[in-house]
């Protein structure tokens, strides 16, 4: 199992949020959590050989629980995830955390 951590910036309708994303990768299965202020969904999905991924996200807020589908790309250095929600798409971009 590989565990990857990326520092991320999320473009939201009310501005940018900064956080981290932690990924667990076993073969072609991927799961993890995004940790950012007011946005911390869990996700799971498939990682393809070309670095593309498709994810299912579970978002909890004061109104309930919502399921979304996301797509993106990942490498050892960077990650990009796009989460379309109604008329807006949350764009998540990050760089790999480096061990010191």
């Amino acid at each position: 199992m590989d565990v990857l951590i990326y520092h991320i910036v999320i473009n939201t309708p009310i501005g940018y949020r900064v956080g981290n994303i932690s990924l667990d990768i076993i073969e072609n299965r991927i799961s993890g959590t995004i940790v950012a202020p007011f946005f911390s969904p869990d996700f799971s999905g498939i990682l393809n050989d070309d670095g593309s991924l498709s994810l299912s996200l579970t978002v909890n807020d004061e109104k309930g629980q919502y399921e979304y589908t996301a797509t993106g790309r990942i490498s050892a250095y960077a990650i990009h995830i796009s989460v379309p929600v109604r008329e807006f798409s949350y764009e998540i971009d990050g760089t790999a955390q480096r061990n010191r």
Side-chain angles (χ1 to χ4, degrees):
M1 174 173 65
D2 292 324
V3 176
L4 303 173
I5 299 174
Y6 295 83
H7 296 294
I8 58 170
V9 175
I10 306 168
N11 182 11
T12 77
I14 58 173
Y16 291 96
R17 299 286 182 257
V18 176
N20 290 307
I21 186 170
S22 175
L23 307 170
D24 295 322
I25 302 171
I26 301 173
E27 296 179 7
N28 69 332
R29 306 289 301 160
I30 188 168
S31 63
T33 302
I34 297 170
V35 178
F38 308 107
F39 188 72
S40 295
D42 294 324
F43 59 86
S44 62
I46 301 292
L47 174 62
N48 298 307
D49 290 339
D50 66 356
S52 64
L53 47 92
S54 57
L55 303 173
S56 295
L57 286 88
T58 302
V59 178
N60 295 301
D61 68 16
E62 64 279 352
K63 297 179 185 177
Q65 185 177 57
Y66 305 93
E67 298 288 330
Y68 298 104
T69 301
T71 58
R73 295 199 60 75
I74 188 172
S75 73
Y77 307 103
I79 190 168
H80 173 79
I81 300 172
S82 182
V83 186
V85 179
R86 296 182 207 101
E87 295 84 33
F88 186 80
S89 182
Y90 288 86
E91 299 297 326
I92 302 169
D93 290 289
T95 55
Q97 175 178 312
R98 298 286 176 231
N99 294 330
R100 297 175 198 245

